[in-house]
Amino acid sequence: MKAYIASSWFNPVADQEVNDIISALGDNDFEFFSPRDFFVCPPTADLQTQKSTYEGNIEHLHNCDFMVCNTHGKDMGSIFEAGYFKALEKPIIYFCAGLPDGASFNLMLAQSGVKVCTSVEQLRDYLGRCQEEKTLLFEPYYGNIE
């Protein structure tokens, strides 16, 4: 199974979180696609570059089996990708490193995902169990919502 990694990478913390997600996927023998490694569209890009970047990401959304969406920082592109992926009726794992116990997670995201992981260790454990079962496990979010 192949994962699409939806995440910002535009600051050191977000970039490290992408590395952590890649590590958790790799440790559990999942393939992945990370737009960070293929599509870099500078803020001053011409319309053709913008369109090409958009279309490339959409193509990869269709070609992946599930998504790991990093919600830390509430990156609008990642949230768009998650909504698009949900419309494709494909499973989403939400990753929000450092969400403290008792903190709220978005209702719409919680209801659209198969799992909400709040640490890389939790993500790695979940992916390991999924690999053992040869399917993504549905483990609904029961925490506080916003």
Side-chain angles (χ1 to χ4, degrees):
M1 289 181 26
K2 186 174 184 178
Y4 184 100
I5 301 172
S7 180
S8 169
W9 63 83
F10 307 116
N11 63 61
V13 171
D15 193 54
Q16 182 57 53
E17 288 173 342
V18 173
N19 291 336
D20 292 343
I21 293 166
I22 289 171
S23 175
L25 288 163
D27 289 349
N28 289 289
D29 297 322
F30 285 101
E31 294 179 63
F32 66 88
F33 171 79
S34 175
R36 175 187 76 173
D37 299 331
F38 293 92
F39 301 111
V40 177
C41 187
T44 58
D46 61 51
L47 288 176
Q48 181 56 42
T49 301
Q50 292 176 37
K51 182 176 176 147
S52 175
T53 300
Y54 172 83
E55 289 173 349
N57 280 314
I58 295 297
E59 178 182 342
H60 284 280
L61 287 166
H62 282 270
N63 292 335
C64 287
D65 303 301
F66 69 100
M67 173 183 282
V68 179
C69 179
N70 184 3
T71 63
H72 188 203
K74 300 181 181 181
D75 176 67
M76 291 178 25
S78 299
I79 301 305
F80 167 84
E81 291 167 332
Y84 191 96
F85 210 72
K86 182 63 178 175
L88 294 175
E89 299 182 354
K90 295 183 178 189
I92 303 168
I93 303 162
Y94 289 103
F95 178 74
C96 190
L99 187 70
D101 288 341
S104 298
F105 192 75
N106 180 271
L107 166 68
M108 299 302 282
L109 300 183
Q111 288 297 306
S112 67
V114 296
K115 177 73 175 170
V116 175
C117 296
T118 60
S119 71
V120 69
E121 295 80 13
Q122 190 179 52
L123 178 62
R124 187 173 281 111
D125 174 72
Y126 172 74
L127 291 171
R129 291 184 288 113
C130 292
Q131 194 63 275
E132 287 174 11
E133 296 295 324
K134 304 293 184 218
T135 189
L136 291 184
L137 304 170
F138 178 64
E139 297 180 357
Y141 179 76
Y142 290 113
N144 295 328
I145 55 168
E146 60 181 24

